[in-house]
Each structure stands twice: as C-alpha cells, then as structure tokens.
Amino acid sequence: MSLSEPVFLRVAIDTPLDSFFDYCFSLRDEAGALLPVPAIGSLVLIPFGSQQITGIVLQILHETAVPPEKIRDVLAARPQLPPLSEEWLGLARFAAEYYQRPLGEVVLPSLPKNLKAIKTVALDRALKKLSKLTAAPTQTPVAQQEASLNAEQAAAVAAVTEGKGFAPRLLFGVTGSGKTEVYLQAAARILAQSATAQVLILVPEINLTPQFETHIRHRFPGVMLATLHSGLAEGERLLHWLAPHTGAARIILGTRLAIFASLPDLQLVIVDEEHDPSYKQQEGLRYSARDLAVWRAHQRQIPVLLGSATPSLESWYAVQQGRYQLSELSQRAVQDAVLPIVKIINLEKEKPSEGLSQRLIAAIRLRLEKGEQSLLFLNRRGYAPVLSCDACGWISQCTRCTANLVMHKGDHRLRCHHCGLEQRIPRACPTCGNIDLQPLGRGTQRLEETLAAMFPEARVFRIDADSTRLKGSAAAAFERVHEGEVDILIGTQMVAKGHDFQRLTLVAALNPDAALFSQDYRASERLFAQLMQVAGRAGRRAQAEGGNASEVYVQTRYPDHPLYHALMAHNYRHFAADMLAEREQAQLPPYMYQALLRAEARELQTALDFLQQAAACMPHPMITINDPIPMTMTRVANRDRAQLLIESASRPALQAFARLWITELRSWKSRVKWSLEIDPVDI
C-alpha cells in the first residue's frame, strides 16, 4: 500500500493510560519515494513527549481527531520484522480486558527488550543468525526412538491428537506415570500432521527447562526448538522469540511468559504441572499463564493438555462439571516401579535431634549403606530463620519489613528475603551487648551442616535459590544428582517437582506444619500438592528383588491431620473431594469469583482509608465487598500494605463492576499506589 493521501496510524504504547495515540505516517526512502504503510501488528518508532519509544500499530486511518498542529510523525518503521498477527493481538486484547489493564501494558512488555530498541542493530543481527539456522538441513519431525506406551498412555495420546477443535483435557497421572512421554508422543503426532504445525509446552519454573529440553532434542533432532524464560540473556531471548514468530521453531518450551509468544500455526498447547502457582504473574499484568493457555487453545480451536499428579481444584472441578475431559495414568510407567510408602513421624513422641528424628536418621543411614540417594525437603533457605539474644529477647528483625532477617552463615550476612536488605551478622547483641547470640530454627544451610557432621562419609549437596544463583548452576547441580555424585540431597521447592531422580529411594519432608494454619485458604491445597510432588521423586525405577521399598517420611506434630492421611494413601481424589466440599460451604473459588484490590502507602492508615473510600465509592449489586485489612506481610521496603477482597457468584458481574471501578479509581488524585488483581492466588 502506497501513500496517496495522509495516512494515520493508531498506536498502542506501554503506558498506564487506557488510550491509544494517532501518528502521521509520511516516511520516504533515500530516493524520496513514499514507503509502504506498516501493516496492523507492525512495530514503529514514535516520539512520545521528549522520548523516542516503540509502539505497535493497531489501526490504519485516513483521518484523525487530533488537531493538525499536534499530530506528530512516525520516526521509523520495522519492515524487516513480520507484523504480529490479528490472532496474537486478539490474545492480548482478551488479557487486557480480563485482567483489567491497558492494552499497551500487555503487548509491549510481552516483547523482548531488544525488539523495542530505538536502533535495529540487535534485531538485524538476530534475523541474520536465524536465517543461517533455518538454512541448515532438517530431519523429519516424527519422534525418534519412541518409547512403548502402556494402555493408559496410548489412550491419552489418542484422545489428544484424534479429537477435532477445542478440546481441553486434564492428564491426571501419579508421579512417575510417564506424563512427559505422553506430551512428547502427542507433540510428534501433531507435528507430523502438518509441515508448519507448532507445539507450545509450558513448565512452571526455569530449572525444569533443561531436563525437558534434553528430552525434546533427543526425540526431535531435526526440529528447531525455542526456549523462552526470564533467565535468558536479551540477545538469546530475541532470537528465541523470532524463531517461532517467523515459523522456524516448531516446538516452543518456556515458563509463563512463553504464553505470549507469537505462534502463527499453533496446533497443540501443553501445560505441565498445571496446578503450580508459579503460572500466576505477581506483578504488572497479573495473568495466569495456565488460564491464558486454555483461552488461546479455545481461540484457535485446538487441543490443550493440562498435566498434573495433583491438579488444581479449579481444573478438577472443571472435569466434574464436564468442561474438561479426563485422562488418567494410575500406574508408574517403569515396570515394577511402585509408589513409595509414606510414613508419618510424630514429633510429639519422637523428639528430634538437630531437627531430625532417630527413625529418619536410621533410614538415611540404611540408604547410604545400600548406595542409594536420599532427599530432605525443607522449604526454608538460609542457615536459620532468625538470630536471637537469650539475655534481652532481641531478634534480627528487618527495619524495612514486618519480617525477620534470615541468617546466612557462610556469607556472614543477615538478609531479608522480601526487600533484599543485608547486614553483617553482629558480634554482639545490638541491645544489651551479649555475645552469645543464637540462631533459631533451621534452614537448608544449617541442615546441610548438620548432615555433613552426622554422616561424614556421605556426599551432602544442597540445591536452593542461594546455591544456584549463577546462570547454568541449577542445571549443573541437577546433573550431579542424576549422575550419582550425591548421596544426600537437601532442597527447597526447586527439587519438589518434575525431576526424574532414578537413584532416589528416600524422601523426608521437614517442618511442613506451618501451612496448616495459614490465613490463605489455598495453603492446604498447596501443601498437599507440594508433599505429593516431592514424595513422587522417590522410587521411580524398578524395585530390585528383595530390596527395600522406597519410603517417604513426614515429620509433623499433627499426625492425625486429614491431609497427612490422604498423603499416606496417595489419595488425591479423596483430598480434592473434601477440599471442594469445604470451598462450596464457605463459598470460595471455584464456586465464587474474586478480585483483590491492594494498596500501599507510607502509613498503614493511609492505605486503609483509600480502600475504605474505594469500597464505598459506587453501588455494587451482585458484588460483595469485604472490609479492608492489612496484608499478612504488612510492611515491605518501608511501605505499608492493605487489601480489599471483592467477590461475586457471577464472573460477568465481577468483570463489569471492576471495569467501572478502575475507571473511577484512576480519576482520583492520591499518593497511594494501588493495583487490582483478578483471580488472586495469594490472599
């Protein structure tokens, strides 16, 4: 399309303003000829105030309401980049409308930074590199060396690949039942159906991508794979975003941000560990990648497969309502591999020594003698949760948060895990001068020290956020475990899911009770999922004849709690039925829809007053507005925080109210920082 008259582009930019901006397009080439008008979905460089920024074209207009003296010109187009599709813009519009954010705050942040740079050097370099990669010969996309499937796996693969249209399916399989093999073979069949078909595979955490990537590259050696997660360098992320956008990459593996990848011929969406709360973004656009995956499959009328050994109650309820279909894997995939025996240790009767009961110590020693691996799960990093003075009662509190400073012995530091404040460990009590300061409680570092002293002959290894800070360190750490270079593994939730530890036969969960008394109604669901997942790391290979069965020990002061009884029986169905009955009685999700208005200010009362005014500012039929309350972690980084929960039995009513409510709140002049989250997962 050439310019024969003034053409205006309506552009979205990354701004909290819920509006778009019109610019005049009048660019010419070096010979003075008018350049083609950028298509809808193209990126353009535009002036905005005193800055030059990148925006995305939403409409092409022949007239505008902007006065001629105020209209500004597009500075540059990006003709070398294929435009984003109307379908992708549709996904962005849905996310913006559902999560109540301006469209510009959805489309632009979801793109790689180098794609939005003022100069196109990085983009041109990435496109050149991509062209060389695609010029290389490729092999057939049909899976190489396919493993044999059992009847349940084969039925699941057939159900996913032989259906027509939108087909949401929950793959409910016990840990070790071969869900990954179902994913791979379903992907192989989809890729074989079309030369351009693409498959999107989502995982909840970055540290799960190397293992998946290895499986995919081994199975599909001739198919380009793109990985998308926040751990990539900007140059890598741009290349891996461009590969599927141009159709070169046919398998896309990533964390939650990958749901916004541009995929022109997406034919299958897979969400592994669909229950995981990591799929919910907790800042900016607070979206659920799992829910957007289902919507995206509906948009394209393609199958979506949600896999988990402990499905979210929302997905389980959807199965009961007939909205999702169910495929079940009830047995472990490896022949003669059985689920571990779960044993409860009552800490009221079996007093622990250094945090470990004598029965657990004996079990670890037995596994060491047999040359088998043990995993101790403690979801608390650092050396000790707090440092204290017995003489005056001083404890290491953060001066900026309502939290304690965690002791990190190796670094000689006290750290706040919420705001990042660091201090040196004091030589004496700051209050009374007592030099005999004591660490209270146990973190993974202290447990590592205890086990190294208790089992000097054992190779003790710790995996947590502190030990895997450097790029590639997590993958290297897990490789050591897989290669058998570790006897006793200590880990946080990083090790609890997705990892296939073939030599691991003993798992112990330490100090899980705190979640039983959390104010968050989802805490029990998360604890059960976490314990089921970490228990599933044990016994994933065939049990040797006459050998000991794999074991899981849970140390608790509440051995009669129903959650632990369901865990002992590996009975998710019973646990889910009880939880859903409780949720229905209390009118909580999935029987109710929620949104959470958060406010933060220098003073708590300022935030509470803002929320009180927000609650009373407009009528709200069909909406329940609860009283504003301080958040559990009230103060973070010298800002006090409060929240206001709104609920409705009708999702459309909640959405309609939220849309009007946000418009009203944005019109207020206030120093309070606030945000609204739809479908909150942390309350």
Side-chain angles (χ1 to χ4, degrees):
M1 176 178 176
S2 301
L3 287 174
S4 57
E5 58 185 37
V7 170
F8 304 97
L9 305 181
R10 183 152 291 168
V11 178
I13 64 174
D14 186 3
T15 172
L17 300 174
D18 200 4
S19 56
F20 308 121
F21 301 87
D22 292 352
Y23 288 84
C24 180
F25 184 83
S26 56
L27 292 179
R28 298 174 181 270
D29 62 19
E30 294 179 354
L34 293 168
L35 294 172
V37 177
I40 292 173
S42 298
L43 296 183
V44 290
L45 184 66
I46 53 176
F48 189 75
S50 60
Q51 299 177 300
Q52 293 183 4
I53 61 174
T54 299
I56 186 167
V57 178
L58 299 179
Q59 286 181 272
I60 300 172
L61 309 169
H62 289 284
E63 57 183 28
T64 176
V66 180
E69 67 273 12
K70 291 187 177 181
I71 197 77
R72 304 177 75 177
D73 289 337
V74 171
L75 300 175
R78 302 281 164 85
Q80 68 272 55
L81 180 70
L84 289 152
S85 67
E86 285 282 4
E87 182 182 279
W88 187 88
L89 289 172
L91 169 70
R93 286 192 183 95
F94 170 79
E97 292 172 5
Y98 186 81
Y99 294 108
Q100 304 292 337
R101 303 288 290 200
L103 181 60
E105 286 192 331
V106 177
V107 292
L108 275 306
S110 68
L111 302 176
K113 286 183 179 179
N114 283 355
L115 197 62
K116 299 173 286 185
I118 293 176
K119 297 184 178 180
T120 63
V121 176
L123 172 60
D124 296 335
R125 185 186 299 122
L127 287 170
K128 184 177 180 180
K129 184 174 182 179
L130 184 60
S131 66
K132 292 180 179 179
L133 292 174
T134 54
T138 58
Q139 301 175 30
T140 172
V142 177
Q144 306 294 313
Q145 302 175 0
E146 287 191 2
S148 58
L149 298 176
N150 60 36
E152 290 180 328
Q153 289 175 310
V157 171
V160 172
T161 58
E162 294 175 6
K164 300 295 183 182
F166 174 57
R169 180 167 294 273
L170 179 64
L171 182 63
F172 171 46
V174 299
T175 53
S177 58
K179 291 186 288 294
T180 300
E181 190 60 38
V182 172
Y183 302 155
L184 294 175
Q185 298 217 20
R189 294 191 188 182
I190 293 295
L191 294 177
Q193 291 173 7
S194 165
T196 60
Q198 294 175 310
V199 175
L200 173 62
I201 303 175
L202 296 180
V203 293
E205 295 182 4
I206 294 174
N207 70 73
L208 293 175
T209 56
Q211 180 173 285
F212 254 100
E213 190 171 345
T214 299
H215 288 316
I216 293 170
R217 292 193 186 282
H218 174 73
R219 191 63 64 86
F220 304 98
V223 176
M224 184 178 291
L225 166 69
T227 55
L228 286 169
H229 54 72
S230 60
L232 297 176
E234 287 302 326
E236 290 179 295
R237 186 181 171 192
L238 177 58
L239 181 65
H240 285 253
W241 185 91
L242 288 169
H245 175 63
T246 58
R250 300 187 61 200
I251 302 177
I252 299 83
L253 171 68
T255 53
R256 61 175 177 258
L257 64 81
I259 191 59
F260 286 107
S262 173
L263 305 166
D265 195 16
L266 180 62
Q267 295 298 327
L268 172 65
V269 182
I270 295 169
V271 184
D272 187 39
E273 310 290 4
E274 66 86 27
H275 67 278
D276 200 291
S278 297
Y279 282 122
K280 187 68 184 287
Q281 172 75 12
Q282 290 301 311
E283 57 187 24
L285 176 69
R286 297 172 183 263
Y287 65 92
S288 165
R290 178 200 64 200
D291 294 349
L292 286 182
V294 174
W295 191 90
R296 195 165 188 180
H298 177 267
Q299 179 194 34
R300 284 195 57 85
Q301 290 297 297
I302 59 173
V304 54
L305 183 61
L306 311 175
S308 178
T310 54
S312 65
L313 292 182
E314 287 81 3
S315 295
W316 193 250
Y317 180 68
V319 169
Q320 294 184 343
Q321 296 294 303
R323 291 186 288 115
Y324 292 1
Q325 298 303 307
L326 179 67
S327 289
E328 187 170 359
L329 306 179
S330 60
Q331 302 294 325
R332 289 202 146 173
V334 176
Q335 190 173 4
D336 298 327
V338 296
L339 291 170
I341 299 171
V342 179
K343 300 178 180 180
I344 303 298
I345 296 177
N346 185 351
L347 293 182
E348 293 296 330
K349 294 181 178 179
E350 301 183 45
K351 299 300 181 183
S353 170
E354 296 293 330
L356 304 173
S357 65
Q358 290 303 312
R359 187 149 50 119
L360 177 56
I361 293 171
I364 295 172
R365 183 169 285 112
L366 176 63
R367 300 296 169 175
L368 285 173
E369 292 171 356
K370 292 181 172 293
E372 298 169 350
Q373 292 175 327
S374 301
L375 164 62
L376 274 68
F377 172 68
L378 178 60
N379 205 23
R380 180 179 285 166
R381 61 190 177 96
Y383 186 83
V386 65
L387 190 65
S388 73
C389 173
D390 292 337
C392 71
W394 172 87
I395 61 173
S396 56
Q397 288 185 317
C398 178
T399 57
R400 306 193 302 193
C401 307
T402 49
N404 294 325
L405 294 175
V406 178
M407 179 181 174
H408 288 253
K409 186 178 179 181
D411 300 334
H412 302 287
R413 309 292 286 178
L414 296 174
R415 287 199 186 100
C416 178
H417 291 172
H418 300 278
C419 73
L421 177 68
E422 289 194 19
Q423 298 176 359
R424 285 193 62 84
I425 296 176
R427 296 180 181 274
C429 174
T431 303
C432 70
N434 175 28
I435 62 172
D436 189 21
L437 299 178
Q438 298 295 323
L440 295 182
R442 287 170 179 80
T444 52
Q445 293 175 7
R446 190 174 188 182
L447 181 60
E448 180 183 24
E449 182 181 274
T450 297
L451 289 167
M454 196 175 287
F455 302 104
E457 76 285 3
R459 296 167 295 179
V460 180
F461 192 58
R462 171 173 55 88
I463 297 181
D464 57 22
D466 296 315
S467 67
T468 57
R469 287 180 179 177
L470 299 177
K471 183 178 180 180
S473 58
F478 284 114
E479 187 61 29
R480 285 188 60 183
V481 181
H482 291 305
E483 292 298 323
E485 299 174 10
V486 175
D487 298 316
I488 303 175
L489 173 63
I490 301 163
T492 57
Q493 61 181 357
M494 288 180 65
V495 304
K497 55 206 166 194
H499 298 287
D500 189 16
F501 301 130
Q502 290 291 314
R503 298 174 174 83
L504 188 67
T505 57
L506 172 67
V507 169
L510 311 182
N511 196 29
D513 291 339
L516 298 176
F517 306 99
S518 171
Q519 296 176 346
D520 191 341
Y521 68 88
R522 297 182 187 272
S524 292
E525 177 187 358
R526 288 177 183 163
L527 176 61
F528 182 79
Q530 206 168 57
L531 294 178
M532 282 280 283
Q533 292 288 337
V534 74
R537 298 315 102 203
R540 298 173 75 91
R541 67 176 180 183
Q543 181 180 328
E545 187 175 347
N548 293 71
S550 296
E551 297 173 308
V552 175
Y553 287 89
V554 179
Q555 294 192 160
T556 175
R557 298 188 185 279
Y558 305 93
D560 296 325
H561 196 285
L563 184 149
Y564 294 134
H565 283 276
L567 181 69
M568 291 175 68
H570 299 279
N571 194 340
Y572 169 83
R573 288 177 178 272
H574 182 73
F575 175 79
D578 286 348
M579 286 290 99
L580 284 174
E582 287 184 14
R583 298 274 183 92
E584 185 174 21
Q585 185 176 11
Q587 283 301 285
L588 292 169
Y591 302 95
M592 185 69 67
Y593 303 100
Q594 296 179 329
L596 191 68
L597 180 65
R598 294 184 176 91
E600 62 177 64
R602 288 291 182 183
E603 300 294 335
L604 177 60
Q605 193 58 49
T606 305
L608 290 170
D609 289 345
F610 173 86
L611 294 177
Q612 194 68 57
Q613 294 169 18
C617 73
M618 58 186 294
H620 45 87
M622 299 179 67
I623 304 294
T624 299
I625 300 183
N626 295 278
D627 292 334
I629 59 172
M631 293 180 66
T632 305
M633 182 67 64
T634 306
R635 192 168 183 81
V636 173
N638 288 326
R639 302 282 291 183
D640 284 342
R641 312 185 302 164
Q643 63 187 28
L644 178 68
L645 182 67
I646 67 172
E647 302 173 292
S648 177
S650 166
R651 178 177 278 164
L654 183 70
Q655 284 284 331
F657 171 76
R659 195 168 296 112
L660 295 173
W661 201 31
I662 284 182
T663 302
E664 173 66 20
L665 296 180
R666 283 178 180 156
S667 70
W668 294 4
K669 292 183 178 180
S670 173
R671 294 184 177 180
V672 173
K673 183 180 179 181
W674 60 271
S675 64
L676 183 70
E677 179 178 1
I678 305 297
D679 302 334
V681 296
D682 286 310
I683 299 177

